[in-house]
Amino acid sequence: MISRDESSVKSGWKKEYGDTPVVSIRCTVYNHADYVEKTLDGFLMQITDFPFEIVVHDDASTDGSADIIRKYVEKYPSLFKPILQTENQHSKERGKVGRIVMPYLTGKYIAFCEGDDYWTDEHKLQKQVDYMESHPECGLCSTDFDIYHQDEGNTEKSVLKNRSDKYRSDYDLEKWIIKPGYTGPMTWVFRREVFAKCFEEATKMKSPDGTFVWFAYALANSNVYCLKEDTTAVYRILAESAAHTNNIEKSYSRVKALYKTRIELAKKYGLSEDAVKAINDSFYKRAYKQMAIVNDKEELAKAKAYNNSLSKKVFFLLTKIGPCRLFLRRLWTKKKKQY
């Protein structure tokens, strides 16, 4: 736990704000006991001239995460709004956690960070709020970020700057829905009214990733700006999580659901027929190995029209043979590769 006390955190806050939070930090936790202290310390190290609050929701973790949160609440009672569940809410209904947390967020701006990611820049919130205060058209502000691979123990530094081939900071709605990339939600700061609409839109869609829908809405209805010269946070990739898994059925299910979300978003925002075709091309060409290995016959029938090369035809034939499909499944898992 950080050594900074509550009065030190508040020492720079301007009196004109009183105790009204300018920023609500939204943190969702589930079995993050090994990581959540670093997450919470990243919030508490923030140096700002405005008040902020920390809304942390633990979804009935079984590893002691809630006990760690309680210790922070005890030391910083006026900064934390804890929501500690005794029954897991996510398993009851997708999106329920978000609906529970939403009324607790009272700030003009909403910042995000899940319990396994963390902030590294003590001026992160101040930089983003300063930008958004001077640019009222900006509905969402992000920054550059590092990626930490937990299993390997290695870090990719400032990926927007150093891996611009894969991680983009120039956002365009149609291009992004066609070829979405990871945008670092743990760096996001939303204008409250924009996020409220984003959240409303996400509840209407059965997407496996609400942030995907939020980002699309923000692009369509406000200006999205990235402070790409500032690296302020770390995205931690775990071996097993909602977005990363070695289970091919889970992985393919997520890829397929995100494809359907992209098609739905394309229709909602009136994207061109060429854009819809590009989304189909992307899915059926990139996910064909997964759909063949899990034997999704309905999608395979469509995918064959997009994969006419001899090598791919041979691959399709091999997956019809039980032992070959089992071997390919094991190979996919060993490589930990997302197709």
Side-chain angles (χ1 to χ4, degrees):
M1 184 182 294
I2 197 169
S3 59
R4 198 178 186 201
D5 61 20
E6 197 171 61
S7 61
S8 176
V9 175
K10 296 180 175 183
S11 61
W13 294 0
K14 293 180 179 178
K15 293 181 180 179
E16 64 195 66
Y17 294 113
D19 292 324
T20 304
V22 172
V23 176
S24 295
I25 301 171
R26 179 188 188 272
C27 180
T28 52
V29 175
Y30 180 67
N31 285 348
H32 291 151
D34 291 339
Y35 320 114
V36 71
E37 285 197 34
K38 200 160 192 175
T39 305
L40 301 180
D41 284 350
F43 304 156
L44 293 167
M45 77 176 183
Q46 292 300 301
I47 298 173
T48 65
D49 64 13
F50 53 79
F52 60 83
E53 63 181 1
I54 302 166
V55 179
V56 57
H57 178 281
D58 179 80
D59 204 14
S61 293
T62 58
D63 66 348
S65 293
D67 292 332
I68 295 171
I69 294 166
R70 288 187 185 97
K71 291 178 182 178
Y72 278 82
V73 174
E74 184 179 353
K75 185 174 179 180
Y76 305 95
S78 68
L79 294 176
F80 278 86
K81 287 183 179 178
I83 310 168
L84 307 179
Q85 302 290 353
T86 56
E87 294 182 28
N88 186 272
Q89 302 301 309
H90 176 75
S91 61
K92 294 181 178 181
E93 183 184 354
R94 183 179 295 278
K96 188 172 183 180
V97 169
R99 288 193 292 277
I100 291 170
V101 173
M102 192 69 184
Y104 289 83
L105 307 172
T106 61
K108 180 179 180 180
Y109 301 102
I110 313 295
F112 291 82
C113 191
E114 294 192 353
D116 52 349
D117 303 324
Y118 58 98
W119 296 348
T120 55
D121 185 344
E122 63 188 8
H123 301 291
K124 175 190 183 295
L125 289 182
Q126 189 70 56
K127 291 173 182 177
Q128 290 175 280
V129 169
D130 284 349
Y131 180 84
M132 298 181 81
E133 285 287 280
S134 61
H135 295 81
E137 74 283 358
C138 180
L140 169 60
C141 181
S142 62
T143 74
D144 203 347
F145 55 94
D146 298 336
I147 297 179
Y148 179 67
H149 298 266
Q150 183 71 28
D151 274 10
E152 295 84 356
N154 66 288
T155 302
E156 296 179 73
K157 292 285 190 179
S158 303
V159 295
L160 297 184
K161 179 168 62 177
N162 298 320
R163 292 292 311 279
S164 58
D165 57 320
K166 185 175 181 180
Y167 302 98
R168 305 195 314 269
S169 59
D170 53 330
Y171 307 125
D172 171 271
L173 178 63
E174 181 166 305
K175 290 179 181 178
W176 188 79
I177 293 177
I178 291 172
K179 189 179 179 181
Y182 186 73
T183 58
M186 68 284 166
T187 74
W188 291 357
V189 174
F190 267 104
R191 197 171 296 277
R192 179 181 178 78
E193 59 269 24
V194 174
F195 175 65
K197 288 291 186 181
C198 290
F199 183 78
E200 185 181 321
E201 287 298 317
T203 58
K204 298 175 185 177
M205 293 188 181
K206 295 181 179 180
S207 174
D209 188 344
T211 63
F212 192 91
V213 181
W214 298 349
F215 195 74
Y217 181 90
L219 283 174
N221 294 278
S222 73
N223 283 1
V224 175
Y225 187 77
C226 179
L227 302 175
K228 56 187 176 183
E229 298 304 316
D230 293 297
T231 299
T232 70
V234 175
Y235 172 46
R236 189 192 302 269
I237 295 182
L238 304 175
E240 195 68 29
S241 66
H244 300 88
T245 178
N246 295 327
N247 181 301
I248 193 168
E249 278 81 9
K250 289 182 180 178
S251 175
Y252 175 64
S253 176
R254 177 180 172 83
V255 169
K256 182 177 178 180
L258 283 174
Y259 156 68
K260 291 183 176 180
T261 299
R262 290 159 66 198
I263 292 295
E264 191 173 354
L265 289 171
K267 292 177 180 177
K268 176 178 177 61
Y269 295 119
L271 270 58
S272 65
E273 290 184 10
D274 286 343
V276 174
K277 181 179 182 299
I279 294 168
N280 285 324
D281 285 347
S282 172
F283 172 65
Y284 288 110
K285 288 180 180 179
R286 294 185 64 197
Y288 79 95
K289 288 185 179 180
Q290 282 179 304
M291 65 179 69
I293 292 171
V294 303
N295 198 27
D296 185 345
K297 294 179 181 179
E298 182 180 350
E299 296 298 345
L300 274 173
K302 302 174 187 176
K304 289 177 182 178
Y306 295 85
N307 298 279
N308 291 316
S309 68
L310 179 60
S311 63
K312 291 181 178 179
K313 288 179 179 178
V314 170
F315 185 89
F316 283 133
L317 289 173
L318 287 174
T319 57
K320 291 182 178 181
I321 304 170
C324 289
R325 189 163 65 245
L326 180 61
F327 170 77
L328 291 168
R329 176 187 293 269
R330 289 173 176 169
L331 184 64
W332 184 93
T333 301
K334 185 178 180 180
K335 288 184 176 181
K336 298 181 181 180
K337 185 175 181 180
Q338 303 289 319
Y339 289 102

